Amino acid sequence: MWQRNQTFLADFILEGLFDDSLIHLFLFSLTTLVFLIAVSGNTLTILLICADAQLHTPMYFLLSQLSLMDLMHVSTTIPKMATNYLSGKKTISFVGCATQHFLYLSLGGGECLLLVLMSYDRYVAICHPLRYTVLMNRKVGLMMAVMSWLGASINSLIHTVILMHFPFCGSRKIHHFYCEFPAVVKLVCGDITVYETIVYISSVILLLLPIFLVSTSYAFILHSVIQMHSAGSKRNAFATCSSHLIVVSFWFGACIFSYMRPRSQRTPLQDKVGSVFYSIITPTLNPLIYTLRNKDIAKALRRVLGRDILTQRQQLPLP
């Protein structure tokens, strides 16, 4: 009994992204740089929204939650990958693998839900501007954030518990750089075709339903924008929505590539490429897209920086 429990809880081996070649050392350095940019950009966005009173609106509150999810997403996978690469070890404990699986799945599902709710926020702001403060107040924004975090966490917990209760056999080598579901499920002993089919169908639904809801919101938004008479109002509406649309396209495009392909058409390299895009590249691009294309964020950054400079000048001793 003890030996069986020890085997059940044995460590997994992560194949990783890189080997010891010079080109892979360069790619590792580049990945580390991208990780630091992602952490800095998302942290700055969160702090900026918290520090500037003019950004205390439902739209920017939801954006701060998106940045928090992106920050946690890159922190869930990249540090472990970097630690294994630098130390030469490739192991991850059973509990560590389960924790990593739960976190990445929670954050990924939460981001899907949050992007849908952010599109609803834009729909209300453009199609019903006079009712915006009623339909999208602070309480509603908080409820949206709680729904995203809680709903995704429950879904992730169920899948993690089920997956980690299956028996694993063979070398327990995961052909990935973290414990992603498609890579871990390949190590399960026995026939789990029914479970895999259920997961595949649920993944398709959980991806296609948010895409349908986002598309519906933007169809109404486009209809309202076309009916606007002012060219300036049209430009403001497109500027407000374009950042969100770009983020949605990147995120759902990568998720569809990673999770909606049948198992027979998957290769470890393709899984790694898809995972790199949505777990590293997208969290890095999101704050850059919102910062570069959003005038309110840029103005808030100048206000905060100007306030700090003024405070420093006031603290200088008079000659």
Side-chain angles (χ1 to χ4, degrees), residues 263-285:
R263 182 176 181 178
S264 58
Q265 299 179 12
R266 294 176 178 274
T267 65
L269 179 60
Q270 290 175 344
D271 288 342
K272 287 182 182 180
V273 170
S275 297
V276 165
F277 196 86
Y278 78 77
S279 65
I280 304 176
I281 305 299
T282 302
T284 305
L285 292 177

Side-chain angles (χ1 to χ4, degrees), residues 66-116:
L66 180 67
S67 293
L68 180 59
M69 288 180 180
D70 284 337
L71 179 62
M72 293 179 65
H73 206 145
V74 293
S75 301
T76 298
T77 57
I78 305 305
K80 179 59 179 175
M81 182 273 290
T83 302
N84 282 3
Y85 179 77
L86 293 174
S87 65
K89 299 178 181 178
K90 294 188 175 183
T91 59
I92 183 171
S93 68
F94 180 88
V95 175
C97 187
T99 303
Q100 195 178 62
H101 181 272
F102 168 75
L103 288 174
Y104 104 83
L105 203 59
S106 296
L107 296 166
E111 191 151 339
C112 288
L113 295 174
L114 192 63
L115 288 172
V116 173

Side-chain angles (χ1 to χ4, degrees), residues 22-316:
L22 193 60
I23 183 66
H24 278 224
L25 178 60
F26 169 75
L27 291 174
F28 170 76
S29 303
L30 185 62
T31 303
T32 304
L33 178 62
V34 172
F35 168 73
L36 294 175
I37 293 172
V39 171
S40 303
N42 285 293
T43 302
L44 178 62
T45 302
I46 295 169
L47 294 177
L48 199 59
I49 292 172
C50 292
D52 192 89
Q54 294 188 28
L55 298 183
H56 292 177
T57 64
M59 172 185 170
Y60 290 108
F61 172 71
L62 295 177
L63 177 58
S64 70
Q65 297 303 298
L66 180 67
S67 293
L68 180 59
M69 288 180 180
D70 284 337
L71 179 62
M72 293 179 65
H73 206 145
V74 293
S75 301
T76 298
T77 57
I78 305 305
K80 179 59 179 175
M81 182 273 290
T83 302
N84 282 3
Y85 179 77
L86 293 174
S87 65
K89 299 178 181 178
K90 294 188 175 183
T91 59
I92 183 171
S93 68
F94 180 88
V95 175
C97 187
T99 303
Q100 195 178 62
H101 181 272
F102 168 75
L103 288 174
Y104 104 83
L105 203 59
S106 296
L107 296 166
E111 191 151 339
C112 288
L113 295 174
L114 192 63
L115 288 172
V116 173
L117 296 174
M118 290 175 74
S119 69
Y120 172 76
D121 172 78
R122 293 300 83 212
Y123 159 74
V124 174
I126 294 173
C127 299
H128 304 283
L130 298 180
R131 300 176 61 194
Y132 181 79
T133 54
V134 177
L135 296 175
M136 282 298 301
N137 52 45
R138 184 173 296 182
K139 184 179 179 180
V140 172
L142 183 60
M143 287 176 59
M144 285 181 168
V146 172
M147 284 171 54
S148 299
W149 285 99
L150 188 60
S153 297
I154 292 173
N155 175 68
S156 177
L157 182 62
I158 293 171
H159 281 296
T160 302
V161 170
I162 293 174
L163 177 62
M164 290 302 172
H165 268 78
F166 285 125
F168 298 98
C169 54
S171 63
R172 298 173 75 97
K173 183 176 183 180
I174 300 173
H175 296 283
H176 215 298
F177 63 97
Y178 67 95
C179 293
E180 190 180 33
F181 177 85
V184 177
V185 80
K186 291 178 181 179
L187 304 180
V188 174
C189 300
D191 184 16
I192 56 168
T193 306
V194 175
Y195 174 66
E196 285 187 292
T197 303
I198 293 172
V199 170
Y200 178 74
I201 293 172
S202 66
S203 299
V204 170
I205 294 173
L206 289 173
L207 284 175
L208 292 186
L209 182 59
I211 291 173
F212 171 75
L213 294 174
V214 171
S215 301
T216 302
S217 296
Y218 276 100
F220 283 112
I221 289 172
L222 182 61
H223 182 262
S224 296
V225 170
I226 292 174
Q227 292 183 329
M228 291 178 180
H229 301 292
S230 170
S233 298
K234 290 183 178 181
R235 282 196 301 270
N236 290 336
F238 279 121
T240 302
C241 297
S242 60
S243 299
H244 183 253
L245 270 176
I246 293 172
V247 170
V248 166
S249 301
F250 282 155
W251 175 257
F252 283 109
C255 288
I256 287 172
F257 178 79
S258 295
Y259 292 103
M260 287 183 61
R261 289 176 298 132
R263 182 176 181 178
S264 58
Q265 299 179 12
R266 294 176 178 274
T267 65
L269 179 60
Q270 290 175 344
D271 288 342
K272 287 182 182 180
V273 170
S275 297
V276 165
F277 196 86
Y278 78 77
S279 65
I280 304 176
I281 305 299
T282 302
T284 305
L285 292 177
N286 285 356
L288 297 178
I289 291 169
Y290 276 106
T291 302
L292 295 176
R293 300 181 63 86
N294 191 300
K295 293 181 180 179
D296 291 337
I297 294 283
K299 290 178 181 178
L301 182 60
R302 286 194 293 268
R303 283 195 297 269
V304 172
L305 292 177
R307 192 187 310 155
D308 291 342
I309 293 173
L310 181 61
T311 302
Q312 291 177 0
R313 287 180 177 176
Q314 290 175 345
Q315 291 176 349
L316 291 175

